[in-house]
Amino acid sequence: MNQIRPAAHSKTKFLWCFPLLMLLLSMFSCSSGLEGKLTGTWKGSDQLFVKSAGPDLVATIDGGLQRHLASTLNLNEDGTYEKLVEEYDNGSGTWTVEDDNLILLDDNGDKLIYILLKVSENELVTIHEVSMDTPEGELSGKITLSYTR
C-alpha cells in the first residue's frame, strides 16, 4: 500500500510552495530596486516636445525647456515628492511606481503618469502626454523629460 506519511506530505507541499515564494520575492525586489534607483534628487537636463495638435508656439515651448532646465524633482524615500523651479515650489504630493510608470499624485488629487524610458544611477528619462490651453487654441503632444543627478 502506497501511503504518504505526514512528514513526506509536508515536504512535498514545501517543494511546491518554494518556487512560488521565490517568484513573489523577486517581483517585490524588482519593484523596490526601481524605486531605489528613482529615490533622490533629479535635475532637469533636457526636454523634447512633439506636438500632436494646436498652434505653433515656439516661445512657449522654448520657455518650457528653460523652466525644465531650472527644475529639480525630489523623489523621497517616504513616497513623497516635490518639484521645484529654481527655489520655487512647483508641486508636491506622493509618488509610486507601477509597471514602467512613475505616478505622481499631487496634493490636489491630480494624477500625472510618466512612462519610464530610462532609469540608471545618474539618468532618468520619461515621456508623458501634455495638453494646455493657449490664447491661440489648445496645444497638445508628448513631452520627453531628461534628468541627471
Side-chain angles (χ1 to χ4, degrees):
M1 197 176 352
N2 289 339
Q3 289 185 352
I4 298 177
R5 291 181 283 181
H9 183 66
S10 296
K11 186 176 180 181
T12 305
K13 280 173 110 178
F14 174 76
L15 291 175
W16 279 100
C17 293
F18 185 72
L20 181 60
L21 178 63
M22 294 307 292
L23 177 64
L24 288 172
L25 288 175
S26 69
M27 286 172 38
F28 288 116
S29 66
C30 289
S31 172
S32 65
L34 185 55
E35 290 169 351
K37 282 184 180 179
L38 287 168
T39 300
T41 300
W42 297 96
K43 173 87 173 103
S45 61
D46 199 8
Q47 170 181 305
L48 174 65
F49 176 74
V50 178
K51 181 180 78 162
S52 59
D56 290 323
L57 299 173
V58 175
T60 300
I61 294 166
D62 289 347
L65 172 61
Q66 294 308 311
R67 186 177 166 121
H68 180 66
L69 294 176
S71 74
T72 304
L73 173 63
N74 297 313
L75 299 173
N76 303 313
E77 245 180 73
D78 66 358
T80 61
Y81 79 89
E82 67 177 342
K83 294 190 287 185
L84 302 169
V85 176
E86 295 174 348
E87 70 274 7
Y88 301 103
D89 181 12
N90 192 37
S92 61
T94 59
W95 69 278
T96 57
V97 175
E98 291 181 19
D99 300 321
D100 290 331
N101 299 312
L102 170 63
I103 301 170
L104 302 183
L105 184 62
D106 72 17
D107 292 334
N108 297 321
D110 295 323
K111 183 189 284 189
L112 185 57
I113 300 173
Y114 293 93
I115 298 169
L116 298 169
L117 299 177
K118 181 175 183 179
V119 179
S120 70
E121 186 66 31
N122 295 313
E123 188 177 13
L124 169 62
V125 181
T126 68
I127 190 169
H128 68 283
E129 298 278 340
V130 293
S131 177
M132 62 189 257
D133 291 324
T134 72
E136 297 181 35
E138 184 178 348
L139 177 64
S140 61
K142 288 187 177 188
I143 191 164
T144 303
L145 299 174
S146 298
Y147 299 87
T148 57
R149 290 200 209 255

